[in-house]
């Protein structure tokens, strides 16, 4: 066989090997845990002083507790519990991608002021919890069911529970809302800037941030995820989960969000089957809606909660 024919036959194999290597690198970049909290993007650093005041407030509470839970697959999970003495209301606050529970201290402070006990979980692959890879809410949704039961055991069967999260956390609590075994004590859901589904979000970010086409990297990442975490990415579908949600839902999304596009908030809102409200926050980029005007954010959340709590 001529050398030119050998090169021609080898080229697709080399290209395939290169594509697989690129997919593996992409998967490791997007899914593998990191053991630190990344710096805030430059546009958010102007809020740093306020952010750290809330962190200090949470960490200085004398009655704060560290909670632990072992999931059915033996993953050890960690959370912070901030009790509000005498209150039967509690909220789980879901954090964003590569964040931790403590990074949601501003929301913990807000909900505490609104009379809620507050649970701040570290999701799998984040903070003090186990997990080598980030599940983008899919495995976490079942963990949150465990945390909900733990709260009910703590404050009673007559408790009133709220699910809240931003970005990945918003997607996570929306996935929880679609679960058939959701406890009756859960009364409402608030999701801020959550995505519609992981495959669409990854395809969008590949094009926007890396100028790469979604094919074949997203399907290959899905295959890698199936091998490592046991499920294809297509199942992480928030919009589909919300079609099964009949709880009151408030969707918040920044009008200038180009990380999780604003249209995703509208699509999640449209999908939900229960009572719902949509607040598109003018001028807000991704996860910025609270920081632009904390007082207005709290007032908007309170108006929603006053209807259902």
């Amino acid at each position: 066989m001529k050398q030119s024919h050998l090169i021609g036959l080898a080229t697709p194999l080399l290209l395939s090997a290169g594509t697989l290597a690129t997919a593996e690198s992409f998967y490791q970049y997007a899914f593998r845990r990191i053991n630190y909290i990344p710096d805030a993007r430059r546009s958010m650093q102007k809020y740093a002083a306020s952010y750290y005041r809330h962190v200090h407030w949470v960490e200085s509470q004398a009655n704060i507790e560290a909670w632990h839970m072992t999931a059915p697959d033996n993953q050890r999970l960690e959370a912070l519990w901030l009790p509000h003495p005498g209150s039967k209301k509690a909220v789980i606050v879901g954090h964003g991608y590569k964040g931790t529970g403590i990074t949601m201290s501003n929301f913990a402070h807000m909900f505490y002021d609104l009379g809620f006990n507050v649970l701040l979980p570290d999701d799998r692959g984040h903070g003090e919890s186990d997990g080598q890879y980030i599940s983008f809410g899919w495995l976490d949704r079942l963990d949150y069911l465990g945390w909900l039961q733990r709260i009910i055991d703590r404050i009673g069967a007559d408790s009133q529970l709220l699910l809240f999260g931003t970005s990945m956390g918003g997607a996570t609590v929306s996935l929880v809302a679609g679960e058939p075994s959701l406890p009756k004590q859960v009364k409402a859901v608030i999701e801020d800037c959550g995505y519609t589904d992981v495959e669409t979000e990854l395809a969008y970010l590949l094009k926007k941030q890396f100028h790469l086409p979604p094919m074949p990297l997203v399907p290959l990442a899905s295959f890698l995820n199936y091998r490592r975490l046991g499920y294809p990415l297509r199942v992480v579908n928030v919009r589909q989960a919300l079609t099964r949600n009949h709880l009151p839902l408030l969707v918040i999304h920044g009008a200038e969000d180009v990380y999780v596009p604003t249209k995703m908030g509208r699509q999640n809102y449209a999908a939900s089957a229960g009572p719902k409200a949509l607040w598109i926050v003018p001028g807000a980029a991704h996860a910025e809606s609270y920081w632009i005007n904390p007082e207005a954010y709290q007032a908007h959340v309170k108006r929603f909660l006053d209807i259902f709590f």
Side-chain angles (χ1 to χ4, degrees):
M1 185 177 289
K2 293 182 179 180
Q3 185 179 11
S4 61
H5 289 167
L6 287 171
I7 293 173
L9 289 171
T11 299
L13 296 176
L14 292 172
L15 288 174
S16 297
T19 302
L20 286 171
T22 301
E24 176 65 28
S25 295
F26 170 61
Y27 185 82
Q28 292 294 329
Y29 173 81
F31 288 76
R32 191 170 184 85
R33 78 175 296 144
I34 58 174
N35 292 313
Y36 61 91
I37 299 171
D39 292 337
R41 63 184 186 272
R42 183 173 300 177
S43 62
M44 294 291 282
Q45 289 178 4
K46 58 181 174 288
Y47 305 119
S50 295
Y51 166 80
Y52 283 110
R53 279 198 297 270
H54 291 297
V55 171
H56 176 72
W57 180 86
V58 170
E59 292 180 337
S60 65
Q61 299 305 300
N63 58 349
I64 196 168
E65 302 173 20
W67 279 15
H68 319 284
M69 181 174 68
T70 301
D73 60 353
N74 290 320
Q75 294 290 291
R76 183 175 172 85
L77 307 171
E78 305 287 337
L80 293 176
W81 171 252
L82 181 58
H84 197 297
S87 175
K88 288 292 185 176
K89 298 187 295 184
V91 57
I92 292 183
V93 177
H95 64 74
Y97 176 65
K98 295 186 177 177
T100 64
I102 200 66
T103 65
M104 304 297 283
S105 292
N106 56 310
F107 295 110
H109 200 169
M110 180 186 78
F111 281 113
Y112 188 88
D113 286 348
L114 290 172
F116 282 77
N117 298 275
V118 181
L119 188 74
L120 301 171
D122 287 354
D123 290 350
R124 291 171 181 239
H126 296 81
E128 299 299 317
S129 290
D130 286 348
Q132 290 304 308
Y133 294 99
I134 297 167
S135 81
F136 286 88
W138 185 246
L139 300 179
D140 308 298
R141 84 194 195 283
L142 302 178
D143 299 335
Y144 277 38
L145 292 176
W147 289 126
L148 287 168
Q149 188 58 53
R150 176 79 177 270
I151 294 171
I152 293 167
D153 292 342
R154 174 63 177 265
I155 65 174
D158 57 344
S159 56
Q160 295 179 298
L161 308 183
L162 172 68
L163 294 166
F164 172 88
T166 65
S167 195
M168 187 185 76
T172 301
V173 298
S174 298
L175 290 169
V176 178
E179 286 299 301
S181 56
L182 192 68
K184 65 180 182 180
Q185 288 85 354
V186 180
K187 303 301 181 184
V189 183
I190 301 175
E191 74 101 327
D192 185 337
C193 63
Y195 41 78
T196 52
D197 66 278
V198 165
E199 286 189 318
T200 301
E201 177 65 9
L202 290 178
Y204 170 80
L205 292 176
L206 272 170
K207 182 177 180 180
K208 181 174 178 59
Q209 294 189 347
F210 302 104
H211 309 290
L212 292 171
M215 295 291 291
L217 292 180
V218 172
L220 286 173
S222 181
F223 171 75
L224 292 170
N225 197 71
Y226 179 79
R227 292 291 300 272
R228 288 164 191 173
L229 293 183
Y231 58 91
L233 295 181
R234 68 174 180 273
V235 303
V236 192
N237 193 318
V238 173
R239 183 165 44 174
Q240 187 177 79
L242 286 172
T243 65
R244 302 188 295 273
N245 170 56
H246 295 275
L247 293 172
L249 171 71
L250 171 60
V251 174
I252 302 170
H253 218 107
E256 307 302 324
D257 194 337
V258 295
Y259 186 76
V260 175
T262 307
K263 67 179 182 181
M264 288 191 170
R266 299 185 188 278
Q267 290 167 345
N268 283 340
Y269 167 78
S272 188
K276 53 193 176 183
L278 174 66
W279 183 29
I280 303 297
V281 182
H286 184 65
E288 193 183 18
S289 295
Y290 170 90
W291 296 108
I292 281 182
N293 190 330
E295 293 77 17
Y297 193 102
Q298 178 167 323
H300 208 100
V301 167
K302 185 177 184 302
R303 282 195 296 272
F304 175 77
L305 294 176
D306 283 346
I307 300 171
F308 302 108
F309 278 80

